[in-house]
Amino acid sequence: LALYFHSGEREEKCIIEDVPSDTLVIGNYKVQRWDIQKQDFLESAPGLGMFVTVTTPSAEVLLSKLYGPQGTFSFTSYLSGEHIICLQSNSTRFVAFAGSKLRIHLDIRVGEHFLDESVVQAKDKVNEVNVRLEHLIEQIHHISKEQNYEREREEKFRKTSEETNSNILWWAVVQTLILISIGIWQIKSLRDFFISKKLV
Amino acid sequence: MPLQVSWAAGPRGRLPPLLLLALAACAARASEITFELPDNAKQCFYEEIAQGTKCTLEFQVITGGHYDVDCRLEDPDGIVLYKEMKKQYDSFTFTASRNGTYKFCFSNEFSTFTHKTVYFDFQVGEDPPLFPSENRVTALTQMESACVSIHEALKSVIDYQTHFRLREAQGRSRAEDLNTRVAYWSIGEAVILLVVSIGQVFLLKSFFSDKRTTTTRVGS
């Protein structure tokens, strides 16, 4: 758990994970609170918890749980798209408490499959290569899933571009028609007007 | 996608404990995060790095405004190792000159109202070998060599895939922006056209309407 960032006590920090469907996402976090007296981050903060909320691309809440100061959460996406993982502490201290902040260590792994370490440590040579191969196969499956998802997104991209293209064409035609018909109406209307006013 | 091989960070039971500790200190870690940077905001990330570790920071802006962000990387002494303003994408490799906490920040402070979505990938250390050479009597077997080369190839496939995914997301974001802009602009233009031309006619008519003072009559 190496990478960390700072956040306010009651601030919600979100990260975005764009994943294909049926993908397992595992997150590890650790949170530390700033101590005014010691002027340092406390190693463990009892009673401090983190709300972890995961939102699917269709704005549904997939996971919403309170974990302790250190924890692991995971979810499997059933839709492909941008999932938003939000972390917020359950601290009830007032925000006005100056100088209070949190240090959040975070590590997110996507498409990972749990490796049984005891199997790896087996002395049997064939077994080890077997295990490595299985992992490679899982990796390839994940890559293949990503490729499929990429195809879907590229299709959406292409549709948007084609829509823009036809929009431009259609609106240009409409505007030209409006221009011509308004022009005709203008001239006709003015001519009738001047004739009625006996100026012509 | 951090298909970071879990075995790379896992413990190696066959090695003596001291070596394990040393390995753990320079174990490869890669963190990838995609986050939203609100306007006028700055977000910093910190990481403890051991001396001599080769690290790579790569970032890309996916959506928002002109798709650019300020980035700054500092070492534990506060010396700026990397500083770029308004960059869309960059990759920076450095070797840690001393132990300590390195800090890198992304800033959107120059933007007044656009949120940016930023992706970064911070790779610390090299990946340890798949089949460690300690406790080894013979060279790698063909199977093992094949595994190693497949693993390397897959790692680069994943790398390319991630780059492609980000570029595609950026392109799609621009296309969607363009689409909405074209729609709104065209509707607005059509409305203005109608309003102005109808208004012109009525205005002209009003110039010639009967007023108490001036009336031009033709004939007597």
Side-chain angles (χ1 to χ4, degrees), chain A residues 4 13 16 18 112 139, chain B residues 1 3-4 34 43 46 200:
Chain A
Y4 64 85
K13 286 284 181 186
I16 303 166
D18 200 356
E112 191 105 337
Q139 249 181 321
Chain B
M1 287 297 143
L3 224 265
Q4 271 326 311
T34 313
Q43 179 70 43
Y46 309 80
Q200 269 180 338

Side-chain angles (χ1 to χ4, degrees), chain B residues 41-61:
Chain B
K42 184 170 156 176
Q43 179 70 43
C44 293
F45 296 89
Y46 309 80
E47 180 137 7
E48 290 238 11
I49 304 176
Q51 185 175 4
T53 325
K54 180 162 165 240
C55 311
T56 310
L57 171 67
E58 202 178 310
F59 68 92
Q60 183 166 355
V61 185

Side-chain angles (χ1 to χ4, degrees), chain A residues 6-126:
Chain A
H6 292 148
S7 138
E9 279 256 2
R10 297 238 12 118
E11 212 182 323
E12 186 173 39
K13 286 284 181 186
C14 296
I15 60 169
I16 303 166
E17 281 296 338
D18 200 356
V19 293
S21 56
D22 290 326
T23 308
L24 177 67
V25 178
I26 301 173
N28 274 319
Y29 77 90
K30 180 170 131 179
V31 64
Q32 292 172 301
R33 191 193 259 146
W34 177 257
D35 189 304
I36 307 286
Q37 286 100 24
K38 293 198 198 135
Q39 285 292 303
D40 195 5
F41 284 93
L42 295 174
E43 196 36 60
S44 71
L48 181 66
M50 290 297 272
F51 279 111
V52 178
T53 320
V54 176
T55 319
T56 61
S58 54
E60 255 181 75
V61 175
L62 191 57
L63 174 74
S64 176
K65 258 179 87 170
L66 176 66
Y67 293 87
Q70 187 163 355
T72 306
F73 59 91
S74 69
F75 65 93
T76 307
S77 60
Y78 61 89
L79 276 179
S80 50
E82 281 188 354
H83 291 70
I84 304 173
I85 302 169
C86 288
L87 295 164
Q88 186 179 27
S89 78
N90 69 342
S91 169
T92 46
R93 302 228 285 246
F94 289 116
V95 187
F97 207 161
S100 185
K101 54 186 185 217
L102 297 173
R103 175 179 286 181
I104 305 175
H105 299 251
L106 190 61
D107 181 32
I108 309 268
R109 289 165 189 273
V110 175
E112 191 105 337
H113 296 270
F114 183 64
L115 172 67
D116 200 349
E117 284 297 323
S118 57
V119 180
V120 178
Q121 285 162 24
K123 301 293 177 188
D124 195 342
K125 197 44 101 93
V126 177

Side-chain angles (χ1 to χ4, degrees), chain B residues 3-200:
Chain B
L3 224 265
Q4 271 326 311
V5 273
S6 57
W7 68 66
R12 261 152 284 275
R14 285 176 288 163
L15 296 170
L18 257 167
L19 206 56
L20 201 86
L21 215 63
L23 253 180
C26 54
R29 288 186 301 263
S31 320
E32 297 192 337
I33 292 187
T34 313
F35 65 98
E36 193 169 300
L37 194 59
D39 47 307
N40 284 321
K42 184 170 156 176
Q43 179 70 43
C44 293
F45 296 89
Y46 309 80
E47 180 137 7
E48 290 238 11
I49 304 176
Q51 185 175 4
T53 325
K54 180 162 165 240
C55 311
T56 310
L57 171 67
E58 202 178 310
F59 68 92
Q60 183 166 355
V61 185
I62 306 177
T63 66
H66 289 289
Y67 304 86
D68 53 2
V69 77
D70 295 343
C71 178
R72 189 192 171 90
L73 173 65
E74 286 175 10
D75 78 351
D77 296 321
I79 302 170
V80 176
L81 294 172
Y82 171 81
K83 180 176 166 178
E84 282 287 346
M85 316 291 275
K86 299 199 179 178
K87 266 283 207 174
Q88 290 192 358
Y89 157 82
D90 208 358
S91 172
F92 176 66
T93 311
F94 67 99
T95 311
S97 53
R98 39 159 291 178
N99 288 332
T101 308
Y102 284 72
K103 159 177 158 176
F104 56 98
C105 297
F106 297 100
S107 160
N108 196 20
E109 280 152 346
F110 56 84
S111 171
T112 31
F113 51 82
T114 39
H115 300 253
K116 306 262 165 79
T117 310
V118 179
Y119 159 92
F120 75 86
D121 179 8
F122 194 54
Q123 173 99 23
V124 176
E126 302 282 347
D127 279 334
L130 263 191
F131 300 100
S133 41
E134 285 77 20
N135 289 359
R136 182 166 288 282
V137 185
T138 56
L140 290 179
T141 64
Q142 271 200 323
M143 278 280 266
E144 288 169 350
S145 312
C147 272
V148 169
S149 31
I150 294 176
H151 182 54
E152 292 298 315
L154 284 182
K155 268 206 298 204
S156 82
V157 168
I158 291 169
D159 202 29
Y160 284 132
Q161 205 177 45
T162 308
H163 282 150
F164 186 67
R165 173 176 64 93
L166 294 171
R167 286 256 172 255
E168 184 271 335
Q170 196 186 45
R172 192 161 29 98
S173 163
R174 276 193 215 254
E176 282 165 6
D177 263 347
L178 186 64
N179 198 16
T180 36
R181 257 187 269 163
V182 161
Y184 287 148
W185 181 243
S186 310
I187 293 174
E189 224 182 297
V191 163
I192 290 176
L193 200 57
L194 275 169
V195 163
V196 165
S197 28
I198 296 176
Q200 269 180 338

